[in-house]
Amino acid sequence: MKKLVWGLGLLLSAGLFWSCEDTPENPGDFNAKAELTMGTHFWALSDPSRTYPLEIETRRDTVYKYRYTINDTVFEYFNDGRDSTYVYGPDGKPIVNVTDTFYYSLKKAELVVMKPIYLENYSDTVIAQVFTNSRWLAKQPTPSGSQWLFNYNSTESGGGDSEFGLRNDRYRGKNMRGPIYQYVFTSDSMICVQIPIYQKGSADYN
């Protein structure tokens, strides 16, 4: 699968896809260069007065790093004119050496890193605004194996100015957990917003 890497080697899945409404309320100008900004905060669905600020930490140019594999089948060569043959392993199958490699894209993308969000330790759902003239994607937060922060109500993609939500499980641990990263992309992948998200533990309330 393609991977996206930032200057410090951060990998992120780049096999992007999206779906949107047939007639979004504000589709924007999809012929113009893609632009994307976030709203000023997340707000809690259960209590809109409880908010979590969305502030920019850094903004920088970056490039895509596309990862792929080279499969090199091992052959045995003879000096007596015989044709080369496969070299077989103990399982009776030809031996294939697999090498991971990569190449960099020629296009520059923009990475916008937000300051961390610190969610409460109880179960909740938070909503944020996306302002863009493009289609956008906010897939399941990564790493997905963490299993405590999820995309809410299929708001992982849309077109033009929209909203997306995140749902977190209740946390009974003592120490803060995270970060989990929520990424919001334009559909052409040329703008990416990274949001680090933590959840408080019981020790954070002392």
Side-chain angles (χ1 to χ4, degrees), residues 2-14 60-67 102-105 107 109 111 183 185 192 194:
K2 294 179 178 179
K3 299 287 182 176
L4 174 64
V5 71
W6 311 122
L8 296 179
L10 175 65
L11 294 177
L12 172 69
S13 172
R60 65 179 183 270
D61 289 338
T62 187
V63 294
Y64 283 94
K65 183 179 181 181
Y66 292 101
R67 183 179 177 184
F102 59 88
Y103 67 92
Y104 289 102
S105 69
K107 292 184 178 181
L111 173 64
Y183 293 91
F185 286 92
C192 174
Q194 179 199 75

Side-chain angles (χ1 to χ4, degrees), residues 38-184:
M38 300 298 300
T40 59
H41 59 274
F42 279 97
W43 68 89
L45 197 60
S46 59
D47 180 7
S49 66
R50 186 170 63 256
T51 61
Y52 305 88
L54 272 171
E55 301 176 337
I56 295 176
E57 181 79 47
T58 61
R59 184 192 300 268
R60 65 179 183 270
D61 289 338
T62 187
V63 294
Y64 283 94
K65 183 179 181 181
Y66 292 101
R67 183 179 177 184
Y68 64 99
T69 58
I70 298 175
N71 297 323
D72 185 13
T73 304
V74 178
F75 288 88
E76 182 178 6
Y77 296 91
F78 303 98
N79 295 324
D80 56 9
R82 288 181 294 165
D83 291 337
S84 60
T85 63
Y86 292 119
V87 176
Y88 294 89
D91 59 359
K93 297 180 181 180
I95 296 174
V96 179
N97 293 326
V98 180
T99 304
D100 287 330
T101 187
F102 59 88
Y103 67 92
Y104 289 102
S105 69
L106 299 178
K107 292 184 178 181
K108 287 185 178 180
E110 182 180 21
L111 173 64
V112 181
V113 179
M114 310 300 287
K115 293 182 179 179
I117 300 296
Y118 299 93
L119 299 177
E120 305 299 334
N121 65 350
Y122 45 79
S123 176
D124 207 353
T125 299
V126 295
I127 308 294
Q129 292 177 301
V130 180
F131 300 106
T132 179
N133 62 344
S134 170
R135 290 187 173 91
W136 57 270
L137 179 72
K139 292 187 66 177
Q140 171 67 33
T142 59
S144 58
S146 300
Q147 300 297 318
W148 61 266
L149 188 67
F150 307 89
N151 188 273
Y152 170 70
N153 199 26
S154 300
T155 58
E156 64 183 22
S157 61
D161 298 345
S162 314
E163 295 178 353
F164 80 95
L166 295 170
R167 173 179 58 85
N168 64 277
D169 288 341
R170 182 180 178 185
Y171 179 44
R172 295 179 172 84
K174 179 179 179 180
N175 298 318
M176 184 179 299
R177 62 178 173 179
I180 284 184
Y181 295 95
Q182 173 67 63
Y183 293 91
V184 184

Side-chain angles (χ1 to χ4, degrees), residues 15-35:
L16 300 179
F17 63 93
W18 64 88
S19 61
C20 65
E21 301 171 83
D22 292 334
T23 54
E25 294 181 3
N26 181 5
D29 181 2
F30 296 135
N31 295 317
K33 180 180 178 181
E35 298 177 354

